[in-house]
Every structure is written in C-alpha cells, then in structure tokens.
C-alpha cells in the first residue's frame, strides 16, 4: 500500500521526546534513590556533585539551576507536566538527604528553592 502524497508526518509531542526536560520515563518514581550517599553535615560537595550528575543524565538539572521554570498558566498541560517533574525532582533530592536535615527543607515549593 502506498502512502498518499498529502499525508504529513505527525510531530512527536514534547512529552514523548526523551530529550525534552519535561519528559517522564515510566520508571521515574519519586521514591527512587539517585545517589547512594545521603547528605549529612560533612559531605555536601560530594553529594551535590553526585546529585547534579544524576539529574543531568535524566535531563532534569534545569529544575535545580533555575533554567527550567514554571510555564505560564495559559499552558495548562505544560504547567501540569512541569509540576509533576518538579515534585519528582524534589522527591529525588529529599530521598538523599538525612531525615534530620530533610525536615528543614520539606516544604519548599520548587526543586530550585530546595537546592538553593
């Protein structure tokens, strides 16, 4: 069967593109532990480097450096996806902080605020 000359290929949606910062893989869960070492009072530099590497491999480092910001409210689907990703990144970070330290950061609204 031949394709019609008038058919246009459908562009993939941004949320289906693994290179897009708002893409979520089915295995991305907020309870995932991205780095083995928990942040404590003595290992910030090693821990922060490990977290940054892990988030970079998942294309989510922009959530902590401020380059991926909340989309305008007019873009409802993108705002909802950003919120899911933001909560996911917050969960990944909080899961690698010792419970005593995590208590102080639990209620930050964004991953960027949590990181800063």
């Amino acid at each position: 069967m031949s394709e019609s000359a008038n058919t246009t290929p459908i562009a993939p949606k941004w949320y289906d593109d693994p290179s897009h910062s708002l893409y979520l893989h089915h295995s991305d869960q907020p309870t995932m532990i991205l780095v083995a070492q928990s942040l404590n009072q003595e290992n910030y530099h090693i821990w922060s480097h490990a977290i940054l590497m892990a988030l970079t491999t998942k294309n989510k480092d922009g959530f902590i450096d401020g380059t991926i910001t909340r989309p305008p409210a007019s873009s409802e689907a993108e705002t909802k996806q950003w919120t899911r990703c933001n909560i996911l990144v917050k969960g990944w970070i909080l899961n690698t902080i010792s419970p005593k330290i995590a208590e102080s950061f639990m209620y930050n609204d964004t991953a960027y605020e949590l990181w800063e």
Side-chain angles (χ1 to χ4, degrees):
M1 232 176 152
S2 66
E3 286 188 36
S4 168
N6 293 337
T7 60
T8 324
I10 298 172
K13 297 192 184 309
W14 52 266
Y15 51 79
D16 288 334
D17 179 4
S19 66
H20 195 282
S21 57
L22 296 181
Y23 170 78
L24 290 175
H25 189 269
H26 64 85
S27 68
D28 290 337
Q29 301 296 320
T31 55
M32 269 176 57
I33 304 295
L34 293 185
V35 296
Q37 192 171 29
S38 290
L39 173 66
N40 58 44
Q41 295 176 346
E42 301 167 358
N43 67 346
Y44 174 78
H45 295 293
I46 293 170
W47 172 85
S48 64
H49 185 70
I51 285 287
L52 184 57
M53 287 190 313
L55 290 175
T56 300
T57 63
K58 293 193 160 290
N59 205 19
K60 301 289 185 270
D61 52 315
F63 281 89
I64 62 169
D65 69 16
T67 58
I68 301 172
T69 58
R70 184 186 312 267
S74 60
S75 177
E76 186 178 348
E78 194 171 359
T79 299
K80 285 182 177 182
Q81 188 70 4
W82 180 90
T83 300
R84 285 192 280 283
C85 290
N86 179 64
I87 291 169
L88 188 67
V89 172
K90 282 176 48 179
W92 288 339
I93 293 171
L94 288 169
N95 285 337
T96 63
I97 297 176
S98 70
K100 187 174 182 176
I101 296 172
E103 288 175 7
S104 303
F105 297 101
M106 189 65 160
Y107 298 102
N108 289 81
D109 287 333
T110 66
Y112 177 74
E113 291 171 0
L114 176 62
W115 188 256
E116 288 297 307

